[in-house]
Amino acid sequence: MRTSAVTRTIGSLAPVGLLALLLAGCGTDDPRTGCAWMKDQGPAAGAGSTVILVDGSASVRGAASGAEGPDYGRAVDTLLEEGVEAGDTFSVGTFAGAPGDVDWTFRKRSANWKESARNSGNQKANRDAAIRCLAEDVTTAQRVVPARGGTDVLAALTTGAGLLQDVEGPRRLVVLSDGLSTNGCADLRQAAFDSEADIKAIASVCATKGEFSELPDLSGIGVTFVGLGHSAGAQPSANQVQRAWLSRLWTSLCERAGATGANCIASGAPVGSAPAPAATRPVQADPVVAYRDGRSQTYSLPGAALFDTDAARLRPAATEPLTDIAVRARTTPGLDRVEVDGYVDLRGGSANDRSLSKSRADAVVEVLVEHGVPRSSVEAYGRGVSPGCPSDRSTEDMSAGERLQCDRRVDIRIFWK
């Protein structure tokens, strides 16, 4: 029996029509197409896990409608490809505010594409779809506006690390943030962004032993920071030197938290800019971190020359050197600010370290103000146990007593514009 031309034509068009429908389902109108299998797919035996933490604060997304911020979806392409290729489970969430709360877009979703289908072609299609959908999930996380303003990167790391506790395979944390913490021990609003001593001091405070420690346990976890120094809105982006300083800071904190140096990475992947995704609710104001240009002078004074042991009351002999520094500060052209950092040595109890160092810094501030330094320009910080002598002092020929004396000191830093 002959087949009519019309029937042959319809028959030949059927596969084409079906293909067209399938292609239409993969269009940009529905970026989730092809990823439904991830919701129910079980993880492979011994699979690793990747937790992606997206900074949702105003400094990253911008407070104004249409503000441009970092293009995280594009910046993490390689990391997503690596995790999906390995068949990791993924968790994506948004953080901001002091408590370290994370709004999870989803948790523990499997990318076990090798077992997602029987046909190898379908498996590879699912792999590619997973990478595309996870990038869209990152963008979705950028739309979430946390209830509180400010940023505490360490607190978010603690929450993310908690999600990895029972993972048998490789554990990875990816932090998408400009790195400008404004809460907790790594509050950078007064950072100079130019000093290794600054990094050591921040790490020392954050690593305080006992109940005051704010470092997460990152042992055995690979941590990658993406977008450090790339901000949006009213917060200016850092220059190259400041980004390098932020990279050293966060990798140092990562190492102090128990991860090895090879597992603490500040990604240098290009971070382009894109209009911030539409906010789900009004964006909370974010404290501005004013980048400093690094023009400063530090005066280190031995604690024994200023205070009695375990005391915060200044000795009479302290008046002369502090008066001299006050005169230098108030006559500095373009004075920006004066920071007073108090340190103690290792012999004190951890509960007393911060309070004693802060009380000593406060006492020094009072003398500087009495001798003409504007109170609004001076801040006191109790840094706790010293991270070591200043970098410009050699400790090779110091006795143990001299090192302790170097540790229990007060640093007065004068910054100018």
Side-chain angles (χ1 to χ4, degrees):
M1 182 177 64
R2 292 186 176 182
T3 304
S4 69
V6 174
T7 303
R8 288 197 303 271
T9 302
I10 293 175
S12 65
L13 287 177
V16 176
L18 178 60
L19 178 61
L21 288 172
L22 291 173
L23 290 175
C26 296
T28 57
D29 290 339
D30 184 9
R32 302 297 314 173
T33 297
C35 298
W37 62 271
M38 295 180 69
K39 293 181 180 180
D40 302 316
Q41 178 64 45
S49 185
T50 296
V51 175
I52 301 175
L53 300 169
V54 182
D55 190 342
S57 63
S59 74
V60 171
R61 63 172 302 117
S65 176
E68 288 198 345
D71 187 358
Y72 287 145
R74 184 175 301 177
V76 297
D77 273 351
T78 301
L79 293 171
L80 294 178
E81 289 175 9
E82 292 173 354
V84 169
E85 185 65 34
D88 279 4
T89 59
F90 283 84
S91 302
V92 177
T94 310
F95 72 92
D101 294 337
V102 176
D103 293 314
W104 295 106
T105 301
F106 60 80
R107 287 186 287 182
K108 299 183 179 179
R109 182 171 292 174
S110 175
N112 184 14
W113 58 274
K114 292 182 180 179
E115 298 179 23
S116 67
R118 293 183 179 181
N119 180 279
S120 61
N122 291 340
Q123 290 174 356
K124 293 179 181 178
N126 285 347
R127 178 196 60 191
D128 296 342
I131 296 170
R132 183 184 70 246
C133 291
L134 286 168
E136 173 65 19
D137 290 329
V138 169
T139 301
T140 298
Q142 284 186 269
R143 294 190 184 101
V144 177
V145 179
R148 309 186 187 196
T151 314
D152 191 335
V153 175
L154 283 178
L157 278 169
T158 300
T159 302
L163 207 60
L164 295 169
Q165 284 184 343
D166 300 325
V167 175
E168 296 179 2
R171 299 179 293 165
R172 305 176 183 89
L173 268 174
V174 180
V175 185
L176 310 181
S177 172
D178 58 7
L180 301 183
S181 271
T182 55
N183 288 301
C185 61
D187 185 339
L188 300 183
R189 282 176 288 178
Q190 300 300 326
F193 293 89
D194 71 336
S195 166
E196 296 303 316
D198 234 15
I199 292 174
K200 290 180 180 179
I202 292 170
S204 176
V205 172
C206 291
T208 300
K209 295 181 180 180
E211 61 179 304
F212 296 104
S213 177
E214 296 183 39
L215 290 182
D217 182 5
L218 298 179
S219 303
I221 298 176
V223 183
T224 302
F225 298 94
V226 178
L228 294 176
H230 293 271
S231 304
Q235 174 62 52
S237 288
N239 60 35
Q240 187 173 355
V241 172
Q242 292 157 344
R243 286 174 187 159
W245 185 91
L246 280 166
S247 296
R248 293 195 301 275
L249 169 68
W250 288 110
T251 53
S252 295
L253 288 171
C254 175
E255 292 172 14
R256 289 292 290 267
T260 63
N263 282 335
C264 298
I265 300 171
S267 173
V271 179
S273 60
T280 56
R281 60 185 172 203
V283 181
Q284 296 294 315
D286 206 27
V288 174
V289 176
Y291 289 115
R292 311 297 178 179
D293 60 11
R295 292 185 290 179
S296 66
Q297 176 67 51
T298 300
Y299 300 91
S300 293
L301 300 178
L306 303 177
F307 306 98
D308 291 327
T309 302
D310 290 330
R313 179 176 295 179
L314 284 163
R315 291 177 170 180
T319 303
E320 183 176 345
L322 291 179
T323 300
D324 179 60
I325 293 174
V327 171
R328 297 186 187 194
R330 73 171 191 249
T331 58
T332 296
L335 176 66
D336 182 12
R337 71 193 192 283
V338 178
E339 294 181 2
V340 180
D341 296 327
Y343 297 96
V344 296
D345 59 44
L346 290 168
R347 298 177 300 174
S350 61
N352 190 44
D353 290 342
R354 290 195 189 183
S355 59
L356 178 58
S357 61
K358 179 63 162 62
S359 296
R360 287 182 168 181
D362 286 336
V364 170
V365 166
E366 290 304 315
V367 175
L368 298 180
V369 171
E370 287 174 6
H371 290 81
V373 180
R375 183 174 293 276
S376 60
S377 300
V378 190
E379 288 287 346
Y381 299 94
R383 301 298 189 184
V385 175
S386 168
C389 291
S391 57
D392 60 349
R393 294 191 61 182
S394 173
T395 59
E396 291 183 4
D397 298 325
M398 284 187 181
S399 65
E402 288 172 331
R403 286 193 179 92
L404 288 173
Q405 179 60 40
C406 186
D407 286 341
R408 56 178 187 272
R409 69 183 190 277
V410 173
D411 287 346
I412 303 173
R413 297 188 293 170
I414 301 173
F415 295 82
W416 59 92
K417 299 176 182 178

